[in-house]
Amino acid sequence: MLEIKNLHVKLEEEDKQILKGVDLTVETGKVHAIMGPNGSGKSTLSYVLSGRDGYEVTEGAASLDGEDLLDLEPEERAAAGLFLAFQYPVEIPGVGNMTFLRTAVNAQRKARGEEEISAGDFLKLIREKAKSLKIDADMLKRPVNVGFSGGEKKRNEILQMALLEPKMCILDETDSGLDVDAMKLVAEGVNALRDAGRGFLVITHYQRLLDHIKPDVVHIMADGRIVKTGGPELALEVETNGYADILAEVA
Amino acid sequence: MALPQVKLEATEARLASLSLPESGAWLREAREAALARVQAMGLPHARDEYWKYTRPDTLVQADVPEAALFDAEGEVSFGDIDRVKLYFVDGVFDPEASDDPAVGGVEIERLADVASADIHWAKDVYGVLETRGQDPVERPLAALNTAVATDGVVIRATGKAEKPVNLIYLHRNTTSDAVLHHVIKVEDGAELTILENGPAAARFNKVMEVEVADTAAFHHVRTQGRDHERRAVTHTFARLGRESTFKSFTLTANGVLTRNECVIELTGNDAVAHVAGAALGDGDFLHDDTVFVTHDAENCESRQVFKKVLRNGATGVFQGKILVKDGAQKTDGYQISQSLLLDDDSVFLAKPELEIYADDVACSHGSTSGAIDEEGLFYLRSRGVPRDLATDLMVIAFVAEAIEEIEDEEIAADVLGRLEGWLERRRD
Ligand SMILES: Nc1ncnc2c1ncn2[C@@H]1O[C@H](COP(=O)(O)OP(=O)(O)O)[C@@H](O)[C@H]1O
Ligand SMILES: [Mg+2]
């Protein structure tokens, strides 16, 4: 269970408050969606939870299954079971995707006191997972995300999620820049991972992703706060009327 | 021109403690001429332009600064490569430890053994390429080496060498002052690979002269290990004939002082010369790559690829030059030197130079210095890769372009494995 309480975050470098008291609980086994206008703080929330530099938490708390996340290094948060599918996956020239994936899997196993996976077993595992996401051998050989199309980058994120089997997955606009077919593929990848032991926080602009990944709860974020929470119907309301009505209503 | 007083005194002080070794006629002449060159040039001084970034005093002075022995914990370079191993302990050949030097395609002799001969083919190379390399920039420590070296290998490849020849340098004495001089001739159409590894001595002065004849190929791969306190100055002089190939790669990790000079002359048309290096420095470390490539024939290609990873106040130096002589048309010259600075205390000093006297050439050079990509680091860490390991992955990625210059895949894999091993032990 991901619990966020009264989270206030400002930029480290400037006096700019971005999150102004976020309260949110994602229960294990549930899918929550966050929608909201551009610049409302959705990506900031995902970065702060995963431990990126440059932000300062001025108030509030965040925990995963009772473990305080904010005190942990990014790699410790990952080992604790948190996963962020990046809005903009990072290109790392020179580091082979396969090496990266195996290193990540083994690092997490090591952190949890488990045995490392053998090269042979890893190969089998990755072939199976890559196939369902239509990721070919060439994409595995290339440097991490280098020369990948937008869709390939997003599929590579889902592949990582499938390999790492996190407890809590945050997807930041995983649908942006995808055509309908690519989005279906990504959604199938996510749905295959839906499980009673795993929670999801799906950040998106559009209802269309939520047609494929059906959320249990939908939140609307505006100006650094969750301003409204409801069921899947809330996403449809946004789709037909935009944010204006909702924002006016809560103002 | 008379030498400045300080230089004259330092040179005389050093030469006072040295005497020319006994030798046969061919070598005696070469030594006497080299000594005369040293006297005329004087030994390097901190005020010399060519030694602006690297202090030469500990390489010049008569006393060898002590270098504690380093326990390499059994790590070996090139362990899985089928090779002929020739051991040198503090600069002295060890025949007992070494393999039988009878290898198909090559004749291997010991300098100490051929020194007493009246005449030897090595006469056309020993001190000859070094002398050519003194112009336009003086390299007095190489001339000093030619004058006093008593050991080294004298190798002639007449065909495709059956296996690589591995020169292994062991350091057993904390104040050893090793001088080795290797002479290599790769005859028309022949192919030879030389592997070198080991710290060699508390202070090491090595010269390798390589004559690469028409259509011949010479490959050189070396690792300079973690023996922290050692000092080394090495010179590689190469002359390339028509359609010949010369490729040299060096991996260096630690060492208080290393200056690797490489002087290459492309004298036959369509020749190819690549020289590359990856150096990892931590703390009290200075690594200097000084490269001079002269194009004196048409349609030749040269590449210089140097990468340095520096942390905790380490210093990296690169002085690289491409000289294209009048008439060396269709020259393709490339040079890149880059450093990855892992903190604010480390420094990279680069002096890339191009000097071109031909009008139909394509030459490019670049030099960069940068910090680690924080975005990439965060991405790796967010997947559970600890900071140290994530940094090392990016370090390996950074130096990969230099390692890729090694043509033989097995040797390249060995070098990469060695690098990964070093990084891993550092993390533990
Ligand atoms: N590193 C940063 N530097 C400057 N401004 C930032 C930074 N990160 C976020 N912001 C600002 O914070 C606000 C929220 O951004 P973001 O979290 O990306 O919103 P969303 O993902 O909802 O579009 C925006 O006004 C954005 O410009
Ligand atoms: Mg965003």
Side-chain angles (χ1 to χ4, degrees):
Chain A
M1 183 166 73
L2 175 69
E3 276 186 287
I4 303 165
K5 286 192 186 132
N6 194 28
L7 192 64
H8 285 70
V9 171
K10 69 179 271 294
L11 291 178
E12 218 165 49
E13 302 277 303
E14 6 171 343
D15 231 3
K16 185 173 174 186
Q17 199 73 31
I18 298 176
L19 299 185
K20 302 171 181 173
V22 175
D23 283 288
L24 180 67
T25 297
V26 183
E27 307 82 4
T28 306
K30 297 283 191 229
V31 176
H32 285 225
I34 298 187
M35 303 180 79
N38 260 331
S40 56
K42 305 182 297 296
S43 291
T44 301
L45 176 65
S46 70
Y47 283 141
V48 169
L49 291 173
S50 48
R52 190 184 189 201
D53 279 345
Y55 305 99
E56 190 186 324
V57 175
T58 51
E59 220 184 312
S63 65
L64 181 60
D65 295 337
E67 189 174 2
D68 182 2
L69 285 175
L70 302 179
D71 273 350
L72 302 178
E73 296 293 330
E75 56 267 33
E76 293 169 330
R77 299 180 196 207
L82 187 74
F83 181 91
L84 167 63
F86 283 54
Q87 180 171 4
Y88 304 106
V90 182
E91 299 186 3
I92 311 181
V95 176
N97 205 18
M98 195 75 153
T99 306
F100 159 61
L101 296 168
R102 199 180 55 233
T103 307
V105 168
N106 279 332
Q108 292 208 9
R109 287 187 172 220
K110 204 171 150 191
R112 297 191 198 117
E114 296 164 14
E115 237 180 80
E116 294 197 356
I117 189 167
S118 74
D121 286 349
F122 182 74
L123 207 62
K124 245 184 267 161
L125 179 68
I126 196 157
R127 281 211 183 114
E128 173 205 316
K129 307 267 185 200
K131 198 172 159 202
S132 57
L133 286 161
K134 297 212 167 68
I135 289 176
D136 58 22
D138 186 51
M139 261 175 77
L140 293 172
K141 263 189 239 149
R142 273 188 279 164
V144 180
N145 293 325
V146 177
F148 287 25
S149 69
E152 286 174 335
K153 283 181 182 167
K154 297 296 171 86
R155 277 186 276 146
N156 201 31
E157 295 292 288
I158 305 303
L159 173 64
Q160 292 165 46
M161 196 163 92
L163 285 169
L164 296 171
E165 302 182 325
K167 288 194 283 189
M168 177 55 58
C169 308
I170 305 174
L171 283 75
D172 191 1
E173 300 212 16
T174 298
D175 52 338
S176 67
L178 297 187
D179 60 31
V180 179
D181 289 340
M183 193 176 63
K184 271 191 190 152
L185 206 61
V186 163
E188 278 165 21
V190 172
N191 287 331
L193 288 166
R194 283 182 81 153
D195 177 307
R198 184 170 292 131
F200 287 86
L201 185 57
V202 181
I203 298 172
T204 182
H205 255 318
Y206 305 103
Q207 152 67 21
R208 60 171 202 172
L209 179 69
L210 303 179
D211 284 341
H212 300 281
I213 307 173
K214 298 241 164 13
D216 298 299
V217 183
V218 175
H219 308 272
I220 306 297
M221 189 167 191
D223 193 25
R225 280 187 201 93
I226 302 292
V227 294
K228 190 166 183 181
T229 296
E233 73 287 348
L234 194 52
L236 291 169
E237 193 185 325
V238 169
E239 181 76 1
T240 34
N241 303 329
Y243 292 110
D245 288 1
I246 296 171
L247 297 186
E249 173 194 327
V250 298
Chain B
M1 203 179 72
L3 293 177
Q5 195 61 25
V6 275
K7 215 165 160 156
L8 188 67
E9 279 168 19
T11 304
E12 280 177 352
R14 177 67 192 281
L15 295 179
S17 63
L18 297 171
S19 56
L20 289 192
E22 284 290 310
S23 42
W26 75 272
L27 190 54
R28 192 169 57 241
E29 280 168 33
R31 284 186 167 140
E32 283 167 358
L35 183 63
R37 282 197 293 282
V38 177
Q39 283 162 335
M41 294 184 269
L43 290 169
H45 186 272
R47 256 174 282 163
D48 291 355
E49 180 64 24
Y50 216 45
W51 290 85
K52 194 162 132 186
Y53 304 126
T54 301
R55 285 189 66 96
D57 45 348
T58 54
L59 297 171
V60 169
Q61 72 195 34
D63 294 336
V64 178
E66 198 166 315
L69 301 183
F70 179 77
D71 180 6
E73 294 158 25
E75 66 180 27
V76 234
S77 279
F78 314 122
D80 294 331
I81 310 289
D82 184 20
R83 68 218 201 274
V84 184
K85 301 186 290 293
L86 302 177
Y87 284 91
F88 293 82
V89 180
D90 291 304
V92 179
F93 181 62
D94 181 351
E96 313 284 79
S98 300
D99 291 338
D100 176 1
V103 184
V106 279
E107 294 164 14
I108 304 175
E109 292 175 288
R110 183 180 173 186
L111 179 64
D113 293 337
V114 304
S116 54
D118 285 336
I119 188 79
H120 194 275
W121 65 259
K123 161 179 173 296
D124 295 334
V125 183
Y126 189 96
V128 173
L129 301 189
E130 175 257 296
T131 305
R132 295 178 66 90
Q134 299 292 351
D135 183 39
V137 189
E138 293 172 348
R139 305 168 201 283
L141 289 167
L144 181 69
N145 178 303
T146 302
V148 305
T150 52
D151 222 334
V153 288
V154 177
I155 299 182
R156 179 157 64 165
T158 51
K160 188 172 174 356
E162 200 186 321
K163 36 178 122 163
V165 177
N166 187 185
L167 308 176
I168 302 169
Y169 307 124
L170 304 180
H171 175 201
R172 297 254 171 86
N173 178 323
T174 56
T175 56
S176 54
D177 193 15
V179 182
L180 286 177
H181 196 116
H182 306 308
V183 176
I184 294 163
K185 190 168 184 184
V186 191
E187 306 271 19
D188 284 21
E191 282 174 42
L192 175 67
T193 297
I194 295 279
L195 307 173
E196 290 184 288
N197 61 283
R203 182 169 70 184
F204 188 33
N205 178 335
K206 191 206 72 179
V207 166
M208 182 164 77
E209 293 176 283
V210 192
E211 179 85 67
V212 191
D214 293 350
T215 69
F218 176 76
H219 294 270
H220 173 226
V221 179
R222 129 176 98 168
T223 63
Q224 297 174 313
R226 293 184 299 155
D227 196 310
H228 303 295
E229 296 176 14
R230 62 166 180 81
R231 284 154 210 278
V233 56
T234 78
H235 289 83
T236 303
F237 295 97
R239 179 164 60 180
L240 277 70
R242 177 180 53 81
E243 291 169 46
S244 68
T245 302
F246 169 95
K247 290 191 180 177
S248 173
F249 170 87
T250 303
L251 174 69
T252 309
N254 288 6
V256 272
L257 177 59
T258 309
R259 165 119 158 180
N260 291 330
E261 294 198 24
C262 189
V263 185
I264 300 168
E265 235 188 318
L266 297 135
T267 60
N269 293 346
D270 305 299
V272 173
H274 291 192
V275 47
L280 283 77
D282 186 351
D284 188 9
F285 168 95
L286 187 144
H287 187 279
D288 175 338
D289 284 298
T290 289
V291 180
F292 200 111
V293 176
T294 304
H295 283 261
D296 197 11
E298 287 182 19
N299 205 33
C300 292
E301 174 197 310
S302 73
R303 272 172 78 81
Q304 302 173 33
V305 179
F306 287 90
K307 303 268 186 165
K308 292 184 171 64
V309 181
L310 306 167
R311 65 179 116 199
N312 296 322
T315 303
V317 176
F318 176 77
Q319 305 189 100
K321 178 151 181 171
I322 305 174
L323 169 64
V324 181
K325 289 199 169 172
D326 186 15
Q329 301 296 16
K330 308 276 182 212
T331 286
D332 177 2
Y334 174 74
Q335 178 195 89
I336 182 96
S337 64
Q338 294 180 310
S339 75
L340 176 61
L341 303 176
L342 295 179
D343 53 53
D344 294 338
D345 302 327
S346 302
V347 277
F348 179 54
L349 306 159
K351 191 178 174 195
E353 286 181 285
L354 284 179
E355 196 177 327
I356 300 174
Y357 296 101
D359 51 22
D360 184 14
V361 302
C363 285
S364 63
H365 67 159
S367 182
T368 63
S369 219
I372 202 150
D373 173 20
E374 289 293 336
E375 289 284 317
L377 204 58
F378 172 64
Y379 189 68
L380 293 172
R381 295 177 72 195
S382 77
R383 296 319 184 220
V385 182
R387 175 184 268 281
D388 282 2
L389 180 53
T391 303
D392 286 348
L393 278 180
M394 297 189 58
V395 163
I396 291 169
F398 174 74
V399 302
E401 188 191 357
I403 294 179
E404 279 160 17
E405 291 292 322
I406 301 172
E407 206 168 279
D408 184 293
E409 278 179 24
E410 233 185 309
I411 297 175
D414 186 280
V415 167
L416 182 62
R418 186 73 196 276
L419 170 65
E420 287 170 345
W422 281 341
L423 292 170
E424 197 176 318
R425 263 184 298 269
R426 199 187 168 283
R427 282 198 303 272
D428 293 340

